[in-house]
Amino acid sequence: MKIRILIILFCISLMLIVVSIIDSFDHSYTDQPVESDLIVMLGGGEESRMQQAAHLYHEGYADRVLITPVVESGDLNQSSALAMEYGIPEEALILEYEAISTYTNATITMDIMEERDMDSALIVTSDWHIKRTKYIYDKLNDGRFDFKYISALPFQDGRWHEGGDGFYVWYSEYIKLWVYRMGIYWWSE
């Protein structure tokens, strides 16, 4: 009897692991952009994120663009200079320098939105990062804000799995998402 229970528990656990791994390959989630109070460009990725944020700004989806975090460096793709190169005027930029993870991106974004009496935002990130971004923003949002998640895919050089580092991207995001699900955000910082 005990062996049957152990076998059943093992099979259920194995099935959950397989489903989790299969789900981890789906990073294609993206919303259609809608008019919002703010465009949030998450740093730490490719230049395509800034390109998508600038595109949304020029299409009139929002009058303000938050870069979180800003790193003023020619080597990185999250500077105010790059935003202005893409035609986002300085007065439209909100620059945030403190975020060190997707978790802190989310908390700081919501603080800024609350301070400025904003209700909605388009969150722009890479296709491989959108699942974790959506998870943490939705988890921390208590219904105060309306977020839409926009992939920078139209400006990327390809899908996340098409590059030479596809396995690393998958593995890294799989681990980080589970870390976030377990509530130990500090581990990813």
Side-chain angles (χ1 to χ4, degrees):
M1 185 66 158
K2 290 181 182 181
I3 291 178
R4 285 185 183 172
I5 291 173
L6 288 175
I7 291 172
I8 290 171
L9 289 175
F10 175 77
C11 290
I12 289 171
S13 298
L14 185 61
M15 187 174 65
L16 291 174
I17 290 170
V18 169
V19 168
S20 168
I21 290 173
I22 291 170
D23 178 63
S24 72
F25 287 101
D26 182 18
H27 290 267
S28 61
Y29 179 88
T30 189
D31 288 320
Q32 291 298 314
V34 296
E35 193 172 320
S36 299
D37 296 322
L38 182 66
I39 297 166
V40 179
M41 197 284 302
L42 299 182
E46 306 83 13
E47 190 170 337
S48 59
R49 294 182 188 188
M50 186 67 76
Q51 290 171 308
Q52 179 67 290
H55 172 75
L56 294 168
Y57 175 80
H58 292 300
E59 290 291 312
Y61 286 106
D63 295 330
R64 303 301 303 261
V65 176
L66 168 63
I67 303 172
T68 175
V70 172
V71 177
E72 299 294 356
S73 164
D75 298 332
L76 299 174
N77 302 311
Q78 57 202 69
S79 69
S80 59
L82 182 61
M84 289 184 277
E85 280 182 35
Y86 279 109
I88 303 172
E90 188 172 8
E91 59 273 5
L93 292 173
I94 301 171
L95 306 177
E96 184 283 307
Y97 295 89
E98 303 300 319
I100 57 173
S101 67
T102 307
Y103 175 80
T104 55
N105 287 137
T107 58
I108 292 169
T109 296
M110 290 181 216
D111 289 345
I112 289 170
M113 290 178 68
E114 193 169 293
E115 289 169 8
R116 294 172 181 252
D117 200 29
M118 296 177 168
D119 299 319
S120 59
L122 302 176
I123 312 296
V124 177
T125 192
S126 305
D127 67 334
W128 54 266
H129 186 236
I130 210 159
K131 181 180 272 190
R132 182 163 43 106
T133 300
K134 179 176 174 29
Y135 176 81
I136 198 63
Y137 272 80
D138 286 351
K139 182 174 178 70
L140 295 175
N141 183 12
D142 59 5
R144 296 175 293 170
F145 308 108
D146 181 26
F147 294 124
K148 300 292 182 197
Y149 304 91
I150 311 298
S151 171
L153 185 59
F155 299 98
Q156 289 177 206
D157 290 333
R159 299 295 312 269
W160 65 271
H161 55 81
E162 294 171 351
D165 60 348
F167 178 78
Y168 172 76
V169 170
W170 168 78
Y171 175 77
S172 175
E173 283 301 303
Y174 181 73
I175 297 298
K176 288 177 181 177
L177 184 58
W178 274 105
V179 165
Y180 275 44
R181 286 177 177 160
M182 291 185 291
I184 49 177
Y185 313 115
W186 51 266
W187 183 83
S188 69
E189 298 175 0

